[in-house]
Amino acid sequence: MNQPTEPTIAIDVYRKRRERVLAALRAAGGGVAIVPTAPEKLRNRDADYPYRHDSYFYYLTGFTEPEALLVLDASAATGDPAALLFCREKNVERETWEGFRFGPDAAREAFGFDAAFAIGELDTHMPRVLADKPALHYALGTSAQLDGQVRGWLDAVRAQSRGGVVAPSAAHDLIPLLDDMRLFKDDHELAIMRRAGKISAEAHLRAMAACHPGVREYELEAELLYTFRKSGAQAPAYTSIVAAGANACVLHYPAGNAIAQDGDLILIDAACELDGYASDITRTFPASGRFTPAQREIYDIVLAAQQAAVDATRAGATFDDPHQAAVRVLSQGLLDTGILDRAKFGSVDDVIAGRAYAPFYMHRTGHWLGMDVHDVGDYRERGAARDEAGALPWRTLQPGMTLTIEPGLYIRPTEGVPERYWNIGIRIEDDAIVTANGCELITRDVPVAADEIEALMQEARVAHGTRT
């Protein structure tokens, strides 16, 4: 039975992250941090959902097995273990059914922990670890099971009070500290995210090349999933959106069995997860290989909005700046096309002030990206002074932050909107790394320019002998 391996450099990355958390907790007065991984989930009867570790746990450990928990003791005495792993025991019989298990001894050595114990020994060890420690740090209130375990451990400590043992007197939410760490990606993370972006781009290219009138949405989804797995990605980062025609106006439409018709647009929002990190790409293209004039008109507006947002994504800008840049271009486009009546809605400033664009653009232009497709991190400056409306200022972008840039327009049949635009749904999305002078787009191996998309699809038709 083959044993999984973990590159030495990655082990150093996880160890250094644990050391950062320990240093932060010591600076705050010490205590013990607890980070569990995700539980396995039963799908139906004897079948589980595919297992996926908890992102916080993986960020600090690199360990992907279920039934595991990390303990960081920032008040450990000199020479005592500070980073402890609890995990499943070695079990040859279960390995016959479920595959390799590290077990505590091998996990401690392979992943660089100070000590490791069987997960079944938690209730024995945790009261000892928590005894006489000033504080407890964990994700408060996020898991009823963990909350119950913690109460049991604290009760066991308090039962020793006559012997002079005291329980932690404070409990703190660990999540803000970990969120701020995860918000800034290191070189190890960025390398994985760049590779994930390339795999996802390859999948979009394959889907574009396979598209033609008569294809079903799920057939295009199959091309995506095939490329993800063939290229080494473990799973989709989220449920793939493959929407033909009017379905593209449904923001979270899952790939169904609708048949792409000649004249339809296809909106694909799909990407892979690689080694624990998500990518996130959306492209919109014509099923026939050529945009209609109305489709091209709307497409170019959305593309210009994305470029304006890209130009606004740089260190020193706020998280909201790319969104406002995109909204201005989209609002102007809605006026120029007559989708919004200029006589009724006035200037672009009036459109923005009254949010008249919102029926056609109802989401924001981006979100943090990382281990989770909608990754962690505050979007506003926590603890800063609020403005007159009571809002916190938007967070300032800094190098190493990663986010999506994804404007769109979704035009349902609406009274007063020219009919030629009805049922056009377009979104263009790329993944960006904030740099000192701008941003690096890591998903542009699949084109965004309309002419390039048409050329790609025409080339695929010629190669496959399909009539254009």
Side-chain angles (χ1 to χ4, degrees):
M1 193 174 300
N2 292 330
Q3 174 174 325
T5 60
E6 188 78 10
T8 301
I9 186 172
I11 301 309
D12 289 340
V13 165
Y14 301 126
R15 183 187 290 113
K16 289 177 181 177
R17 290 174 185 166
R18 295 194 292 270
E19 290 172 353
R20 284 181 61 191
V21 174
L22 285 165
L25 296 183
R26 290 179 185 124
V32 176
I34 300 171
V35 185
T37 196
E40 295 176 290
K41 295 284 189 180
L42 187 68
R43 182 180 184 274
N44 59 304
R45 291 188 65 82
D46 293 331
D48 289 333
Y49 283 103
Y51 182 70
R52 205 275 188 183
H53 52 262
D54 175 78
S55 294
Y56 291 111
F57 177 84
Y58 182 78
Y59 181 76
L60 296 174
T61 67
F63 192 71
T64 59
E65 292 183 16
E67 295 184 84
L69 180 139
L70 171 68
V71 176
L72 297 175
D73 187 353
S75 297
T78 302
D80 287 347
L84 300 84
L85 176 73
F86 290 85
C87 66
R88 300 183 302 186
E89 292 185 274
K90 289 292 289 184
N91 185 318
V92 175
E93 181 180 356
R94 294 314 307 167
E95 286 183 283
T96 299
W97 290 87
E98 299 166 356
F100 175 82
R101 293 183 178 189
F102 274 97
D105 292 339
R108 176 186 55 77
E109 183 175 351
F111 294 88
F113 297 102
D114 298 330
F117 305 97
I119 191 71
E121 299 175 7
L122 258 178
D123 291 341
T124 300
H125 287 278
M126 286 308 298
R128 174 185 57 79
V129 173
L130 293 173
D132 295 323
K133 301 299 167 61
L136 180 62
H137 306 259
Y138 73 106
L140 299 174
T142 59
S143 166
Q145 178 182 352
L146 182 60
D147 287 344
Q149 287 178 299
V150 168
R151 285 194 297 271
W153 299 333
L154 293 176
D155 286 344
V157 177
R158 293 180 183 121
Q160 306 172 59
S161 62
R162 291 186 180 182
V165 178
V166 297
S169 60
H172 303 289
D173 190 1
L174 183 64
I175 297 306
L177 170 62
L178 298 182
D179 284 355
D180 280 349
M181 288 178 60
R182 285 177 54 187
L183 185 57
F184 295 87
K185 305 316 189 275
D186 58 33
D187 291 342
H188 172 75
E189 295 175 288
L190 293 177
I192 297 172
M193 293 183 70
R194 289 186 180 101
R195 176 61 182 148
K198 285 185 175 296
I199 293 172
S200 296
E202 291 169 8
H204 277 260
L205 291 172
R206 185 180 179 94
M208 284 182 183
C211 187
H212 58 82
V215 72
R216 291 185 183 270
E217 293 164 338
Y218 63 72
E219 294 180 84
L220 297 179
E221 180 188 28
E223 302 289 347
L224 299 163
L225 300 178
Y226 170 82
T227 307
F228 295 163
R229 291 299 285 134
K230 183 176 175 59
S231 301
Q234 289 80 14
Y238 50 94
T239 301
S240 299
I241 297 168
V242 182
N247 294 334
C249 294
V250 180
L251 297 185
H252 290 166
Y253 176 86
N257 62 359
I259 299 173
Q261 305 294 329
D262 191 8
D264 277 352
L265 289 176
I266 309 296
L267 187 155
I268 295 181
D269 185 341
C272 71
E273 179 180 290
L274 175 70
D275 298 341
Y277 288 83
S279 52
D280 193 359
I281 301 177
T282 307
R283 292 293 186 268
T284 310
F285 54 92
S288 66
R290 296 195 183 279
F291 291 94
T292 68
Q295 291 169 353
R296 177 63 181 265
E297 196 175 358
I298 301 301
Y299 188 91
D300 285 346
I301 292 169
V302 176
L303 183 58
Q306 194 202 32
Q307 186 58 54
V310 168
D311 293 341
T313 302
R314 63 185 183 278
T318 73
F319 177 80
D320 192 48
D321 287 341
H323 177 66
Q324 294 303 326
V327 165
R328 179 161 292 274
V329 174
L330 295 174
S331 297
Q332 186 65 60
L334 292 171
L335 289 172
D336 292 344
T337 55
I339 294 172
L340 291 178
D341 185 350
R342 193 180 299 272
K344 179 179 179 181
F345 292 101
S347 69
V348 66
D349 290 329
D350 294 330
V351 169
I352 295 171
R355 291 182 52 81
Y357 61 84
F360 311 101
Y361 182 48
M362 60 293 294
H363 60 81
R364 293 195 61 83
T365 303
H367 53 77
W368 303 131
L369 181 71
M371 286 187 161
D372 303 319
V373 68
H374 286 184
D375 208 34
V376 298
D378 292 331
Y379 289 97
R380 294 180 181 267
E381 299 285 0
R382 183 188 297 243
R386 296 180 180 272
D387 63 19
E388 294 179 356
L392 292 169
W394 290 100
R395 191 152 199 166
T396 300
L397 299 179
Q398 299 180 50
M401 293 178 171
T402 52
L403 66 158
T404 64
I405 304 175
E406 50 175 311
L409 285 175
Y410 315 91
I411 307 168
R412 295 173 176 272
T414 304
E415 184 178 354
V417 172
E419 191 171 343
R420 64 183 180 277
Y421 300 124
W422 287 8
N423 294 321
I424 292 178
I426 294 172
R427 183 164 64 254
I428 306 170
E429 177 180 20
D430 284 291
D431 303 343
I433 302 169
V434 178
T435 64
N437 300 314
C439 67
E440 174 192 352
L441 299 180
I442 60 175
T443 47
R444 280 294 178 88
D445 285 347
V446 55
V448 292
D451 289 342
E452 293 179 14
I453 289 173
E454 289 184 340
L456 183 155
M457 297 185 72
Q458 295 303 315
E459 288 172 9
R461 281 156 176 70
V462 171
H464 291 90
T466 305
R467 188 175 66 184
T468 61

